[in-house]
Amino acid sequence: MNLDIGCTRLLIGKCGEQNLLRNQVAYLLATAWHESGHTMQPVRERGGETYLRGKAYYPYVGMGFVQLTWLRNYQFASKKLGVDFVANPRLLLDPTHAADIIVLGMKEGWFTGKKLADYVTLQRSDFVGARRIINGTDCASLIAGYATGYDADLKALGYGA
């Protein structure tokens, strides 16, 4: 994995501010890598405008590192961060806001009620189960593999030493 691509260093810094463990950071980075289409940049949900208009949650389509969707989630993130994502959804594409959302959201369980500490602790790294923090079990093994790579890279970097 490449710790210098896109916003990876921003994410690592935000994780450090929240005192996330190395293996928790690894899983968060793996999630961002997968959800951003391997860019490590906040992105808007794929599909043309006609396709997106057909979504039940339009205009609150997936944006950011974790593809935040639905009005209620935009409202929740707005309240938590003090930024009006409802009035200006494209603010979710700002790397700093998107980083705050993925870090706090995964740490506190904003997305599904499951949080990093439910699966990734000092004693265990259930990278497959951790997919439930974001999206059930969709691509769980694939993302777990990314997390293992990120964990080795973060260890070599000295994160959490």
Side-chain angles (χ1 to χ4, degrees):
M1 308 310 299
N2 182 344
L3 298 180
D4 293 313
I5 190 170
C7 297
T8 306
R9 294 290 177 155
L10 170 66
L11 290 167
I12 293 169
K14 292 284 188 178
C15 289
E17 291 171 11
Q18 293 297 316
N19 300 308
L20 295 187
L21 302 171
R22 184 190 72 235
N23 53 351
Q24 292 174 332
V25 178
Y27 191 76
L28 184 142
L29 292 175
T31 298
W33 176 250
H34 180 76
E35 296 287 334
S36 72
H38 303 172
T39 66
M40 297 306 275
Q41 297 284 352
V43 296
R44 187 169 191 247
E45 185 174 348
R46 287 188 209 163
E49 201 60 29
T50 301
Y51 167 77
L52 293 174
R53 284 182 187 278
K55 295 289 190 177
Y57 47 79
Y58 187 87
Y60 305 103
V61 298
M63 284 196 263
F65 289 115
V66 288
Q67 302 299 294
L68 194 70
T69 56
W70 295 100
L71 173 60
R72 69 180 173 276
N73 293 324
Y74 278 48
Q75 290 169 327
F76 185 82
S78 293
K79 182 177 177 185
K80 292 293 268 186
L81 300 181
V83 177
D84 192 352
F85 299 117
V86 174
N88 192 350
R90 294 222 176 239
L91 288 174
L92 291 166
L93 298 175
D94 175 271
T96 300
H97 296 319
D100 288 337
I101 289 169
I102 191 173
V103 173
L104 293 172
M106 291 182 76
K107 179 182 179 184
E108 298 175 1
W110 293 9
F111 311 118
T112 65
K114 302 290 185 184
K115 57 187 178 233
L116 280 167
D118 294 337
Y119 301 96
V120 184
T121 66
L122 285 173
Q123 291 75 35
R124 71 180 185 138
S125 296
D126 180 4
F127 291 148
V128 173
R131 183 63 177 153
R132 288 179 174 86
I133 298 165
I134 301 294
N135 193 4
T137 57
D138 174 59
C139 299
S141 294
L142 177 65
I143 297 165
Y146 300 149
T148 299
Y150 276 118
D151 195 43
D153 290 345
L154 288 165
K155 186 174 185 178
L157 183 68
Y159 186 97

